[in-house]
Amino acid sequence: MQDPRSSSTLEEHIMSTTLFEKIIAREIPADIVFEDDSVLAFRDINPQAPTHVLIIPKKVIPRVGEAQEEDQLLLGYLLLKAGEVARKLNLENGFRLVINNGRDGGETVPHLHCHLLGGRSLEWPPG
Ligand code: AMP
């Protein structure tokens, strides 16, 4: 797969990047709740709970099933930051982290993201 950043024109670059890369680049707006050099957290546009935030790595990893050994620290860091965001958003009664992978997993955006859901009692098992 071609690295989108190696596209020859700006137009090609914009066409080839995912929605979440565009949010990272501030090309489309998002309600950002946390950002540092490695990760970005923003509110889901179609919330499934009173608090629904997506935590994403800035590095382009399409899905967790395609993560590499070299991503080990970043994946752990993503979970650490998810916990911090949960504390920041006062989810002391509990929360759920979800990572959808592939078609049957319900993934719709091919840029690894961790859903943080909270603010209500969540049922189990999920649908
Ligand atoms: P998934 O279905 O696991 O791939 O999750 C993708 C999530 O991205 C869904 O929950 C969408 O509601 C959310 N989403 C799509 N577009 C946007 C956007 N522009 N800003 C924030 N969240 C979005």
Side-chain angles (χ1 to χ4, degrees), residues 19-20 23 28-30 42-46 52 54 100 106-109 113 115:
L19 191 59
F20 291 172
I23 288 176
I28 60 173
F42 52 94
R43 293 188 190 276
D44 196 293
I45 205 167
N46 182 24
H52 187 173
L54 302 173
N100 297 326
E107 173 203 309
T108 59
V109 179
H113 50 283
H115 296 256

Side-chain angles (χ1 to χ4, degrees), residues 57-119:
K58 290 187 173 177
K59 179 182 177 185
V60 178
I61 302 172
R63 55 195 60 83
V64 74
E66 289 174 40
Q68 304 294 312
E69 288 289 327
E70 67 193 33
D71 299 320
Q72 184 173 343
L73 276 178
L74 180 57
L75 295 181
Y77 189 73
L78 196 74
L79 285 185
L80 189 69
K81 293 298 146 180
E84 279 184 25
V85 170
R87 285 197 293 279
K88 179 179 172 183
L89 298 179
N90 304 311
L91 298 178
E92 58 278 339
N93 288 340
F95 58 88
R96 183 173 295 165
L97 300 177
V98 175
I99 298 177
N100 297 326
N101 191 109
R103 188 189 60 190
D104 284 358
E107 173 203 309
T108 59
V109 179
H111 182 121
L112 175 60
H113 50 283
C114 179
H115 296 256
L116 167 63
L117 298 146

Side-chain angles (χ1 to χ4, degrees), residues 9-52:
T9 68
L10 180 62
E11 190 182 347
E12 280 172 8
H13 166 74
I14 289 169
M15 294 298 288
S16 65
T17 52
T18 66
L19 191 59
F20 291 172
E21 284 172 84
K22 291 184 174 76
I23 288 176
I24 292 167
R26 305 296 201 276
E27 289 168 5
I28 60 173
D31 185 354
I32 293 169
V33 297
F34 176 81
E35 179 172 27
D36 66 12
D37 288 345
S38 305
V39 306
L40 183 70
F42 52 94
R43 293 188 190 276
D44 196 293
I45 205 167
N46 182 24
Q48 302 300 311
T51 298
H52 187 173

